[in-house]
Amino acid sequence: KAPDADRRRIIQTVINAVFEANGGVGFFQDLAVLGAVYGFADCIVRPGERLNTRLQQPSPGRSVQKEDAAASHASILSAASAIALDLVEAPRALPILEEQDYRMIRYYIQHFYQARNEAPDRPSRSRPPRQAAVTEILGPTAWQRYEDGRRIAQGLNPLGYVPVVHIQNIAQPYFYEGISDAEQLIGLQDELNARLSDRASRITMQAFKMYLAKGIEGMADKPVSPGRMWCTDNQQASIEEFGGDRSCPSENLHITEIRDAMDKISGVTPVVAGVLKNKLGNLTSGVALKMTFMGMLTRNARKQYTYGRGLGQIAQMILDILDRAGVFATTLQERQIEVRFPNPLPEDMTERLQEALLKKNLGLPQQKILEELGYDLT
């Protein structure tokens, strides 16, 4: 949100360089998957060894502002690319929150097992590779790292805050964890699997028709095949047919209701998932599409708020680190970030242009109208 257009473009390229260095689109996909499965995702912003050395120097940011103006854009992008964005899986995370405010992280601990490339003393195919239990503690003023209970590294944190950005998948008040997309479907999925397994067992047992012959001699030696006739003089003889895949309306209804409940809870309609149960007709207007995909669009908008706010905090932390290290100086106003998501629905450009003409006739500034259309004339 920098007031100057040139500064906005430069800041945008710096932020893009950091995300591209950490996987680009793959980083955002990993972030979305972790959030959807666990309900939240944490990202540690690590300055890297190069910037960490500059951050250790006393007050580097203010003394190098003249140097910052003369620095080449390529060197700024190179320094920014050294910043690492480390996504933390929920099972390894242990945040220590403030007692009075659950939204504030006081210390951040992660514990996990890391595979080692060391060769074992006695090589064996059945022996798994060696693993080390790693524990990392991040605080506002210092950090420590342990392996197998032994401290191997420590240092000061010159930032003055815990460099962790917490993103809830869907906001859940008064809880650190957000609402997971997968967890709330586990019970229904288990029920659906049980019903489908019962159906598979029933089909296996009853897929072939069977016959019970009474009063017919030598029935065991007579094969069952088309066009075969069995004869007997016993007037009490009978052949009863049983088995076969018979219709079970209650079972089909139960499976359908489970699937409908899963669609309702997940917010993903069958149309969005690619399953067209009924004919939809011609959905040519934007209003018809919005009404059809209302549940999915509402859920998407809630996620856009939480993930957009988290990505903005990551970008702010990146700019703050570069400013403190004296690499790229920015003001507090220039570090205000707004994340914009494109409209998931297809837009008719003709309708947008007609709306722009109406706004122009009402006297709205032409610059404002062009900005709404996506044109940047600065």
Side-chain angles (χ1 to χ4, degrees):
K1 293 185 178 181
D4 184 61
D6 293 334
R7 290 288 291 175
R8 286 200 300 268
R9 283 192 289 268
I10 294 174
I11 292 173
Q12 183 70 52
T13 56
V14 171
I15 295 174
N16 288 343
V18 177
F19 284 117
E20 287 297 327
N22 288 273
V25 178
F27 171 81
F28 301 116
Q29 291 178 345
D30 295 341
L31 179 67
V33 170
L34 291 175
V37 172
Y38 296 110
F40 71 94
D42 292 338
C43 179
I44 302 177
V45 183
R46 303 183 186 275
E49 185 176 354
R50 175 182 173 185
L51 292 179
N52 199 33
T53 302
R54 301 193 62 167
L55 288 170
Q56 301 293 338
Q57 300 174 1
S59 302
R62 300 305 100 200
S63 61
V64 294
Q65 281 203 3
K66 296 181 180 179
E67 187 179 299
D68 180 37
S72 65
H73 189 59
S75 63
I76 296 177
L77 296 181
S78 176
S81 301
I83 298 178
L85 304 179
D86 186 10
L87 293 176
V88 180
E89 193 177 7
R92 63 168 62 178
L94 179 61
I96 308 299
L97 307 180
E98 288 287 351
E99 296 179 354
Q100 304 299 329
D101 190 354
Y102 71 98
R103 295 166 296 184
M104 301 295 296
I105 300 177
R106 188 174 182 181
Y107 296 98
Y108 193 84
I109 304 172
Q110 63 166 332
H111 178 79
F112 57 96
Y113 290 91
Q114 186 175 27
R116 293 300 186 189
N117 295 327
E118 301 174 2
D121 299 334
R122 296 180 179 178
S124 175
R125 293 183 180 180
S126 61
R127 180 176 299 176
R130 179 181 176 273
Q131 291 184 338
V134 179
T135 303
E136 184 181 24
I137 305 174
L138 299 176
T141 59
W143 61 271
Q144 291 181 340
R145 185 181 179 92
Y146 295 82
E147 285 190 6
D148 295 328
R150 181 173 54 88
R151 188 179 63 198
I152 62 170
Q154 65 177 355
L156 298 177
N157 181 10
L159 299 176
Y161 55 84
V162 181
V164 175
V165 176
H166 174 65
I167 302 176
Q168 288 186 334
N169 181 56
I170 297 179
Q172 184 175 205
Y174 308 112
F175 285 92
Y176 183 82
E177 304 83 2
I179 300 176
S180 167
D181 292 342
E183 183 179 3
Q184 53 188 344
L185 298 176
I186 292 177
L188 289 174
Q189 186 65 56
D190 288 342
E191 178 68 16
L192 179 60
N193 292 342
R195 299 287 76 81
L196 293 178
S197 297
D198 293 343
R199 169 182 281 186
S201 177
R202 179 177 58 80
I203 291 175
T204 302
M205 295 297 297
Q206 300 180 1
F208 300 98
K209 292 182 179 180
M210 294 175 284
Y211 301 91
L212 176 62
K214 298 179 181 179
I216 301 178
E217 299 178 357
M219 189 65 191
D221 301 329
K222 297 179 180 181
V224 179
S225 61
R228 181 149 318 254
M229 182 180 294
W230 302 320
C231 301
T232 181
D233 296 332
N234 186 2
Q235 296 182 359
Q236 303 298 325
S238 65
I239 297 178
E240 298 179 7
E241 177 187 343
F242 63 96
D245 186 16
R246 298 178 181 177
S247 176
C248 295
S250 59
E251 180 186 54
N252 296 334
L253 180 61
H254 183 50
I255 292 176
T256 302
E257 289 177 347
I258 293 175
R259 287 175 172 167
D260 291 342
M262 294 180 67
D263 294 337
K264 184 176 181 180
I265 292 177
S266 66
V268 181
T269 62
V271 180
V272 176
V275 182
L276 299 178
K277 294 185 177 180
N278 301 313
K279 294 183 179 180
L280 297 176
N282 256 340
L283 298 179
T284 55
S285 73
V287 177
L289 285 173
K290 288 182 179 179
M291 294 300 296
T292 305
F293 303 136
M294 181 64 70
M296 189 67 185
L297 293 174
T298 303
R299 194 179 190 88
N300 191 44
R302 295 173 66 185
K303 287 190 176 185
Q304 285 181 355
Y305 174 77
T306 54
Y307 283 92
R309 184 170 176 268
L311 292 174
Q313 292 177 353
I314 293 176
Q316 290 176 357
M317 203 169 291
I318 291 171
L319 296 176
D320 181 64
I321 291 173
L322 293 175
D323 178 71
R324 290 170 181 266
V327 175
F328 181 60
T330 52
T331 62
L332 186 61
Q333 183 181 6
E334 291 176 338
R335 290 196 289 272
Q336 299 301 314
I337 304 297
E338 180 183 0
V339 180
R340 297 180 180 178
F341 293 88
N343 189 355
L345 293 177
E347 295 183 357
D348 189 356
M349 198 62 188
T350 304
E351 294 182 0
R352 294 191 61 191
L353 292 175
Q354 291 176 352
E355 182 182 353
L357 289 176
L358 293 175
K359 290 182 179 180
K360 183 179 180 181
N361 295 334
L362 290 174
L364 269 69
Q366 183 176 358
Q367 183 71 20
K368 178 66 175 178
I369 297 175
L370 293 176
E371 288 180 358
E372 292 179 354
L373 291 174
Y375 298 101
D376 188 4
L377 303 181
T378 55

